[in-house]
Amino acid sequence: MKRVWEKIVEGILTCSGFVTSITILLIVVFLFAEALGLFNKKVIEEGYVLAVNKANPVQELSAAQIKDVFDEEITNWKELGGPDAEVKVFRLEDITSYFSEEELGAEYEKAPRCIGEIVAGNPGIIAFVPSKFIEKDFPGHLLKDESISFDEVFAGKEWFPTATPAPQFGFLPLITGTLWVSFFAILFALPFGLSVAVYMSEVADHRTRSFLKPVIELLSGIPSVVYGFFGLIVIVPLIQKVFNLPVGETGLAGSIVLAIMALPTIITVSEDAMRNCPRAMREASLALGATRWQTIYKVVIPFSVSGITSGVVLGIGRAIGETMAVLMVTGNAAVIPTTILEPLRTIPATIAAELGEAPAGGAHYEALFLLGVVLFFITMLINFSVEYISSRTNK
């Protein structure tokens, strides 16, 4: 009977492991399937076209050029490889400036002919109109609408997914913001976390350790929104005052909040690793004439480096994947920061803030999934790097 129960338990555990593995695999497959659809989407907003005068030699524009044209930052076709003529932007709502409601028809049934006349009569025009209003004998020509390219996404410097007529899906500001905040968070958290771990493991008496350990572990259970409120009320005004900034919501505020959030993980894991150092190694070091502190940094810490790096990895994972606290204190400006004292935006904050508003299956929706893939690879790269460093250290 005992063997039967053992077989049943073994089967349950095997099934659990199998189901978990399949679930993780399906999540990854779904993530990639949704994300890669972005590169099948067109640059110009779905259902619309860009039309120019037939005499205009320009055949295609990049997403950045289209945005600059419609933002009136580019005002001459010469800047786009065309004739020396002023760019005249036309949107469908501008049609009433050219034709009356009677001429357009009650349901805009005459709009295709009117749009054709407008394009034909304006050499410098670029018209952003619904594709259904373009007739077969359209007197102008349509700009090529290429698919969104890899370079436009990963080398793009603007994140403006709701821009018309060409949304901007540049990941560079978001990737940069994520790496900046995470790097400085670990830079702040690691020395403090390691110091506290050394104190608890090697210096503090049993009573002090028994008090500090549950308190520190309790900090890891505090909701991130509470840390966000703390950062918003305390850290943000302090940074604004100390550095004399117009706003305190900066990358530095996010880094400090994330450092505080990562501390419990780094301290707990590192302290446990140090306490696992054999007593015989400590005594041997002391017997050879080493002082207490020499024993700590020449024996205990090197022996515990694998556990310490594990704590750092978990801390980095907490920092990179954190959403709510960062969303509250970093200013959420999707720009490439030049200093840590500027507002920025991270990948998790972007996904959390925009996924609910992105139409399912649209380019914006798929771009957010692609951001998730980028975050996945960043985390995986960090894990592999730390594992490699740890294995080299242990040799």
Side-chain angles (χ1 to χ4, degrees):
M1 188 66 180
K2 185 177 179 180
R3 289 185 177 180
V4 173
W5 280 110
E6 288 177 352
K7 289 291 183 182
I8 292 173
V9 171
E10 184 180 343
I12 292 173
L13 293 176
T14 303
C15 289
S16 299
F18 179 75
V19 170
T20 302
S21 302
I22 292 296
T23 303
I24 294 172
L25 181 62
L26 289 175
I27 290 172
V28 173
V29 170
F30 172 75
L31 184 66
F32 276 79
E34 290 290 333
L36 295 178
L38 176 65
F39 299 109
N40 295 324
K41 292 290 190 292
K42 299 295 184 181
V43 169
I44 302 171
E45 187 177 341
E46 189 175 354
Y48 287 81
V49 295
L50 288 177
V52 297
N53 188 276
K54 204 163 190 176
N56 194 328
V58 175
Q59 297 296 319
E60 63 179 306
L61 298 174
S62 67
Q65 288 174 324
I66 294 171
K67 180 180 180 297
D68 289 343
V69 166
F70 280 80
D71 286 347
E72 298 183 357
E73 294 179 13
I74 293 178
T75 57
N76 195 297
W77 281 104
K78 194 174 182 180
E79 300 176 62
L80 302 169
D84 186 8
E86 182 184 356
V87 175
K88 185 175 181 61
V89 173
F90 174 84
R91 294 181 175 87
L92 184 62
E93 55 266 28
D94 299 328
I95 198 170
T96 53
S97 301
Y98 295 85
F99 296 95
S100 64
E101 292 184 5
E102 291 78 12
E103 292 174 310
L104 292 170
E107 297 182 0
Y108 271 40
E109 63 270 12
K110 298 177 183 178
R113 177 185 58 79
C114 296
I115 291 172
E117 291 180 13
I118 293 170
V119 172
N122 292 274
I125 198 167
I126 178 169
F128 174 57
V129 293
S131 55
K132 65 181 181 180
F133 288 155
I134 302 299
E135 297 178 323
K136 290 183 179 179
D137 57 347
F138 182 68
H141 75 262
L142 305 181
L143 296 182
K144 291 181 182 178
D145 190 8
E146 301 292 341
S147 299
I148 296 172
S149 69
F150 187 89
D151 289 343
E152 287 176 334
V153 173
F154 288 96
K157 297 181 180 180
E158 287 192 69
W159 173 263
F160 194 179
T162 57
T164 56
Q168 306 293 300
F169 296 113
F171 282 7
L172 213 52
L174 308 180
I175 294 174
T176 306
T178 301
L179 295 179
W180 271 60
V181 170
S182 302
F183 172 75
F184 281 98
I186 295 303
L187 196 65
F188 298 151
L190 186 56
F192 285 104
L194 194 56
S195 300
V196 175
V198 169
Y199 172 76
M200 290 178 60
S201 173
E202 305 299 322
V203 179
D205 56 34
H206 177 72
R207 185 176 179 181
T208 305
R209 188 184 303 115
S210 299
F211 171 75
L212 286 178
K213 192 170 179 65
V215 171
I216 291 172
E217 290 176 348
L218 181 65
L219 292 176
S220 62
I222 296 176
S224 60
V225 69
V226 176
Y227 284 106
F229 273 120
F230 171 77
L232 198 60
I233 294 170
V234 178
I235 297 174
V236 166
L238 183 63
I239 290 175
Q240 184 177 5
K241 184 177 180 180
V242 170
F243 294 99
N244 193 26
L245 300 173
V247 292
E249 289 89 350
T250 60
L252 180 60
S255 296
I256 293 173
V257 171
L258 288 182
I260 295 171
M261 295 177 69
L263 274 175
T265 303
I266 295 174
I267 292 171
T268 301
V269 177
S270 300
E271 191 257 342
D272 288 341
M274 291 179 191
R275 288 184 63 80
N276 285 331
C277 180
R279 183 182 180 88
M281 291 183 66
R282 291 185 174 89
E283 292 176 349
S285 175
L286 294 171
L288 290 171
T291 64
R292 186 180 188 182
W293 288 105
Q294 286 175 329
T295 300
I296 290 172
Y297 73 79
K298 288 188 176 181
V299 176
V300 177
I301 292 179
F303 177 84
S304 311
V305 70
S306 179
I308 293 171
T309 51
S310 298
V312 172
V313 169
L314 293 173
I316 293 174
R318 179 77 187 266
I320 288 180
E322 183 51 50
T323 302
M324 188 53 65
V326 178
L327 192 64
M328 296 171 70
V329 300
T330 55
N332 296 310
V335 295
I336 299 176
T338 55
T339 71
I340 196 65
L341 295 175
E342 295 178 6
L344 48 78
R345 179 183 280 195
T346 64
I347 291 175
T350 302
I351 295 173
E354 299 181 9
L355 188 59
E357 300 175 359
H364 186 189
Y365 180 83
E366 291 170 345
L368 294 175
F369 271 89
L370 188 58
L371 281 174
V373 171
V374 172
L375 194 63
F376 171 79
F377 276 114
I378 291 174
T379 306
M380 188 170 65
L381 181 63
I382 291 171
N383 287 343
F384 284 153
S385 299
V386 174
E387 286 294 330
Y388 175 75
I389 294 170
S390 179
S391 64
R392 296 277 295 180
T393 306
N394 290 334
K395 287 183 179 179

